[in-house]
Amino acid sequence: MEESSRPIVNNCNFAGIRPAMMELPYPPIQVREQNCGYADILSIDYCGAVSELSAITQYINNENRLSCEKCPLAKTILGIAMAEMMHLQKLGELIYLLGGKVDFVAKAPRGRQEMWTPAYLRLPEHAEQMIQVSIEDEKKAISQYKMHMSMIKDDYVDAVLARIIKDEEYHILILQGTMEEWKRSRRNPV
């Protein structure tokens, strides 16, 4: 076999990666009663500009671009993406129970609807910028969840959102630690 015909291989092994989540149970997925207005609010968290769908897509894209050269960082990002997938699934269940439609359309107040688009994503080229953007986006998600909790008067739904916030806060801690480690490794190369 000629040198130039050897396959290019990604040696980053993702076996055993687990979702990066707080080790706390989720409350039961239930609602007090059907409420399409609440379902519409959650559709924004499901697939709006600041949403679980956007987070998953952005994290997976970053993980793919990092996996060949920065395997440990790619593994961290994949674990966070997996947690965001769990959040998306729980939001979808809540939307359905509330009588809403689970699709890729965020239903904003006053009847405005927006189909999810990759234009929502921020995809910087460098790992440090990826981490910084991810921290900023997690903070936006927490803020949005808190705002939505103040609008939703269903303690079952709010309990699930509060539990999701705990994971998002955990992601910030992981990403901040990763950023510090990244900066240290750049100051003190091996």
Side-chain angles (χ1 to χ4, degrees):
M1 186 182 242
E2 288 183 34
E3 188 73 28
S4 63
S5 64
R6 286 197 178 143
I8 299 171
V9 178
N10 180 357
N11 291 317
C12 191
N13 183 347
F14 291 99
I17 301 295
R18 300 186 60 209
M21 301 169 63
M22 295 291 294
E23 299 229 4
L24 299 168
Y26 270 86
I29 305 300
Q30 58 190 0
V31 300
R32 289 268 168 221
E33 59 189 12
Q34 287 195 339
N35 183 319
C36 288
Y38 292 169
D40 288 353
I41 292 168
L42 293 181
S43 75
I44 296 166
D45 299 316
Y46 187 85
C47 64
V50 176
S51 69
E52 298 299 337
L53 185 59
S54 294
I56 293 163
T57 308
Q58 188 163 297
Y59 278 125
I60 291 296
N61 184 277
N62 289 340
E63 174 269 316
N64 288 160
R65 293 185 294 141
L66 292 169
S67 66
C68 289
E69 295 179 9
K70 296 172 180 64
C71 183
L73 178 56
K75 287 179 177 184
T76 298
I77 289 174
L78 180 59
I80 294 172
M82 292 167 71
E84 305 295 3
M85 290 176 202
M86 301 288 292
H87 301 163
L88 185 75
Q89 188 273 333
K90 291 179 184 322
L91 290 170
E93 279 188 78
L94 288 172
I95 291 167
Y96 177 79
L97 292 174
L98 287 164
K101 186 174 179 187
V102 181
D103 55 19
F104 297 107
V105 178
K107 289 105 182 150
R110 297 178 202 67
R112 196 181 61 165
Q113 298 187 10
E114 292 183 15
M115 173 78 73
W116 185 86
T117 171
Y120 292 153
L121 307 180
R122 298 191 297 161
L123 302 170
E125 284 302 311
H126 303 288
E128 188 172 340
Q129 293 169 327
M130 288 178 193
I131 298 167
Q132 189 57 47
V133 162
S134 296
I135 291 169
E136 292 166 10
D137 289 348
E138 293 285 356
K139 289 177 180 179
K140 288 178 189 174
I142 291 167
S143 177
Q144 181 171 285
Y145 277 125
K146 287 179 179 179
M147 179 181 64
H148 289 171
M149 287 173 67
S150 73
M151 299 164 72
I152 295 173
K153 304 301 178 207
D154 182 320
D155 54 328
Y156 293 133
V157 174
D158 287 346
V160 174
L161 298 183
R163 176 59 187 81
I164 290 172
I165 287 171
K166 289 184 185 312
D167 284 341
E168 307 298 17
E169 291 169 339
Y170 181 55
H171 297 162
I172 291 170
L173 291 174
I174 292 170
L175 292 164
Q176 287 172 334
T178 301
M179 179 69 87
E180 286 305 312
E181 190 175 307
W182 178 258
K183 287 179 180 178
R184 261 193 315 277
S185 70
R186 294 196 43 145
R187 283 191 303 261
N188 306 316
V190 178

PDB file of all heavy atoms in Angstrom, residues 10-17 63 67-68 71-72 74-75 78:
ATOM      1  N   ASN A  10      -9.756   9.173  12.502  1.00  0.00           N
ATOM      2  CA  ASN A  10      -9.967   9.923  13.745  1.00  0.00           C
ATOM      3  C   ASN A  10      -9.818   8.921  14.886  1.00  0.00           C
ATOM      4  O   ASN A  10     -10.613   7.998  15.012  1.00  0.00           O
ATOM      5  CB  ASN A  10     -11.356  10.559  13.758  1.00  0.00           C
ATOM      6  CG  ASN A  10     -11.622  11.343  15.030  1.00  0.00           C
ATOM      7  OD1 ASN A  10     -10.798  11.366  15.936  1.00  0.00           O
ATOM      8  ND2 ASN A  10     -12.766  11.988  15.094  1.00  0.00           N
ATOM      9  N   ASN A  11      -8.804   9.093  15.709  1.00  0.00           N
ATOM     10  CA  ASN A  11      -8.544   8.161  16.806  1.00  0.00           C
ATOM     11  C   ASN A  11      -9.213   8.566  18.110  1.00  0.00           C
ATOM     12  O   ASN A  11      -8.934   7.984  19.152  1.00  0.00           O
ATOM     13  CB  ASN A  11      -7.033   8.009  17.011  1.00  0.00           C
ATOM     14  CG  ASN A  11      -6.397   7.278  15.854  1.00  0.00           C
ATOM     15  OD1 ASN A  11      -6.936   6.287  15.370  1.00  0.00           O
ATOM     16  ND2 ASN A  11      -5.271   7.778  15.384  1.00  0.00           N
ATOM     17  N   CYS A  12     -10.067   9.544  18.066  1.00  0.00           N
ATOM     18  CA  CYS A  12     -10.795   9.964  19.267  1.00  0.00           C
ATOM     19  C   CYS A  12     -11.937   8.973  19.500  1.00  0.00           C
ATOM     20  O   CYS A  12     -12.854   8.857  18.690  1.00  0.00           O
ATOM     21  CB  CYS A  12     -11.339  11.388  19.075  1.00  0.00           C
ATOM     22  SG  CYS A  12     -11.987  12.128  20.582  1.00  0.00           S
ATOM     23  N   ASN A  13     -11.869   8.241  20.587  1.00  0.00           N
ATOM     24  CA  ASN A  13     -12.862   7.209  20.884  1.00  0.00           C
ATOM     25  C   ASN A  13     -13.942   7.785  21.797  1.00  0.00           C
ATOM     26  O   ASN A  13     -13.662   8.192  22.920  1.00  0.00           O
ATOM     27  CB  ASN A  13     -12.171   6.013  21.544  1.00  0.00           C
ATOM     28  CG  ASN A  13     -13.112   4.874  21.810  1.00  0.00           C
ATOM     29  OD1 ASN A  13     -14.335   5.016  21.736  1.00  0.00           O
ATOM     30  ND2 ASN A  13     -12.545   3.728  22.122  1.00  0.00           N
ATOM     31  N   PHE A  14     -15.161   7.789  21.313  1.00  0.00           N
ATOM     32  CA  PHE A  14     -16.272   8.370  22.076  1.00  0.00           C
ATOM     33  C   PHE A  14     -17.069   7.326  22.858  1.00  0.00           C
ATOM     34  O   PHE A  14     -18.102   7.644  23.434  1.00  0.00           O
ATOM     35  CB  PHE A  14     -17.200   9.147  21.132  1.00  0.00           C
ATOM     36  CG  PHE A  14     -16.555  10.388  20.590  1.00  0.00           C
ATOM     37  CD1 PHE A  14     -16.001  10.397  19.324  1.00  0.00           C
ATOM     38  CD2 PHE A  14     -16.493  11.535  21.353  1.00  0.00           C
ATOM     39  CE1 PHE A  14     -15.397  11.541  18.823  1.00  0.00           C
ATOM     40  CE2 PHE A  14     -15.890  12.684  20.865  1.00  0.00           C
ATOM     41  CZ  PHE A  14     -15.345  12.681  19.596  1.00  0.00           C
ATOM     42  N   ALA A  15     -16.612   6.095  22.883  1.00  0.00           N
ATOM     43  CA  ALA A  15     -17.305   5.051  23.644  1.00  0.00           C
ATOM     44  C   ALA A  15     -17.344   5.443  25.123  1.00  0.00           C
ATOM     45  O   ALA A  15     -16.360   5.925  25.681  1.00  0.00           O
ATOM     46  CB  ALA A  15     -16.596   3.721  23.473  1.00  0.00           C
ATOM     47  N   GLY A  16     -18.462   5.254  25.716  1.00  0.00           N
ATOM     48  CA  GLY A  16     -18.605   5.511  27.150  1.00  0.00           C
ATOM     49  C   GLY A  16     -18.899   6.945  27.540  1.00  0.00           C
ATOM     50  O   GLY A  16     -19.016   7.246  28.721  1.00  0.00           O
ATOM     51  N   ILE A  17     -19.037   7.837  26.572  1.00  0.00           N
ATOM     52  CA  ILE A  17     -19.370   9.230  26.901  1.00  0.00           C
ATOM     53  C   ILE A  17     -20.788   9.264  27.443  1.00  0.00           C
ATOM     54  O   ILE A  17     -21.702   8.657  26.879  1.00  0.00           O
ATOM     55  CB  ILE A  17     -19.248  10.153  25.660  1.00  0.00           C
ATOM     56  CG1 ILE A  17     -17.839  10.120  25.095  1.00  0.00           C
ATOM     57  CG2 ILE A  17     -19.681  11.585  25.995  1.00  0.00           C
ATOM     58  CD1 ILE A  17     -16.780  10.676  26.006  1.00  0.00           C
ATOM     59  N   GLU A  63     -18.068  19.746  18.231  1.00  0.00           N
ATOM     60  CA  GLU A  63     -17.435  18.458  18.563  1.00  0.00           C
ATOM     61  C   GLU A  63     -16.844  17.827  17.314  1.00  0.00           C
ATOM     62  O   GLU A  63     -15.715  17.338  17.322  1.00  0.00           O
ATOM     63  CB  GLU A  63     -18.478  17.534  19.218  1.00  0.00           C
ATOM     64  CG  GLU A  63     -17.980  16.129  19.481  1.00  0.00           C
ATOM     65  CD  GLU A  63     -18.260  15.182  18.327  1.00  0.00           C
ATOM     66  OE1 GLU A  63     -19.373  15.202  17.782  1.00  0.00           O
ATOM     67  OE2 GLU A  63     -17.333  14.420  17.969  1.00  0.00           O
ATOM     68  N   SER A  67     -12.797  16.967  17.089  1.00  0.00           N
ATOM     69  CA  SER A  67     -12.500  15.595  17.502  1.00  0.00           C
ATOM     70  C   SER A  67     -11.153  15.066  17.021  1.00  0.00           C
ATOM     71  O   SER A  67     -10.519  14.284  17.729  1.00  0.00           O
ATOM     72  CB  SER A  67     -13.619  14.651  17.079  1.00  0.00           C
ATOM     73  OG  SER A  67     -13.701  14.564  15.674  1.00  0.00           O
ATOM     74  N   CYS A  68     -10.699  15.453  15.863  1.00  0.00           N
ATOM     75  CA  CYS A  68      -9.418  14.916  15.369  1.00  0.00           C
ATOM     76  C   CYS A  68      -8.202  15.501  16.072  1.00  0.00           C
ATOM     77  O   CYS A  68      -7.202  14.818  16.252  1.00  0.00           O
ATOM     78  CB  CYS A  68      -9.296  15.161  13.864  1.00  0.00           C
ATOM     79  SG  CYS A  68     -10.411  14.126  12.906  1.00  0.00           S
ATOM     80  N   CYS A  71      -9.270  15.949  21.156  1.00  0.00           N
ATOM     81  CA  CYS A  71     -10.179  14.887  21.574  1.00  0.00           C
ATOM     82  C   CYS A  71     -10.794  15.115  22.963  1.00  0.00           C
ATOM     83  O   CYS A  71     -12.004  14.983  23.117  1.00  0.00           O
ATOM     84  CB  CYS A  71      -9.475  13.542  21.505  1.00  0.00           C
ATOM     85  SG  CYS A  71     -10.529  12.150  21.923  1.00  0.00           S
ATOM     86  N   PRO A  72     -10.014  15.457  23.995  1.00  0.00           N
ATOM     87  CA  PRO A  72     -10.628  15.645  25.317  1.00  0.00           C
ATOM     88  C   PRO A  72     -11.711  16.744  25.308  1.00  0.00           C
ATOM     89  O   PRO A  72     -12.767  16.570  25.923  1.00  0.00           O
ATOM     90  CB  PRO A  72      -9.453  16.028  26.221  1.00  0.00           C
ATOM     91  CG  PRO A  72      -8.250  15.439  25.546  1.00  0.00           C
ATOM     92  CD  PRO A  72      -8.533  15.558  24.081  1.00  0.00           C
ATOM     93  N   ALA A  74     -13.450  17.691  22.662  1.00  0.00           N
ATOM     94  CA  ALA A  74     -14.565  17.158  21.869  1.00  0.00           C
ATOM     95  C   ALA A  74     -15.443  16.241  22.719  1.00  0.00           C
ATOM     96  O   ALA A  74     -16.674  16.290  22.634  1.00  0.00           O
ATOM     97  CB  ALA A  74     -14.034  16.423  20.651  1.00  0.00           C
ATOM     98  N   LYS A  75     -14.822  15.422  23.564  1.00  0.00           N
ATOM     99  CA  LYS A  75     -15.584  14.527  24.437  1.00  0.00           C
ATOM    100  C   LYS A  75     -16.427  15.315  25.435  1.00  0.00           C
ATOM    101  O   LYS A  75     -17.581  14.968  25.694  1.00  0.00           O
ATOM    102  CB  LYS A  75     -14.637  13.579  25.180  1.00  0.00           C
ATOM    103  CG  LYS A  75     -14.048  12.510  24.289  1.00  0.00           C
ATOM    104  CD  LYS A  75     -13.108  11.614  25.089  1.00  0.00           C
ATOM    105  CE  LYS A  75     -12.558  10.495  24.243  1.00  0.00           C
ATOM    106  NZ  LYS A  75     -11.728   9.572  25.030  1.00  0.00           N
ATOM    107  N   LEU A  78     -19.356  16.765  23.547  1.00  0.00           N
ATOM    108  CA  LEU A  78     -20.346  15.738  23.225  1.00  0.00           C
ATOM    109  C   LEU A  78     -21.201  15.406  24.447  1.00  0.00           C
ATOM    110  O   LEU A  78     -22.417  15.244  24.337  1.00  0.00           O
ATOM    111  CB  LEU A  78     -19.668  14.485  22.677  1.00  0.00           C
ATOM    112  CG  LEU A  78     -20.616  13.336  22.314  1.00  0.00           C
ATOM    113  CD1 LEU A  78     -21.631  13.766  21.253  1.00  0.00           C
ATOM    114  CD2 LEU A  78     -19.825  12.120  21.848  1.00  0.00           C
TER     115      LEU A  78
END
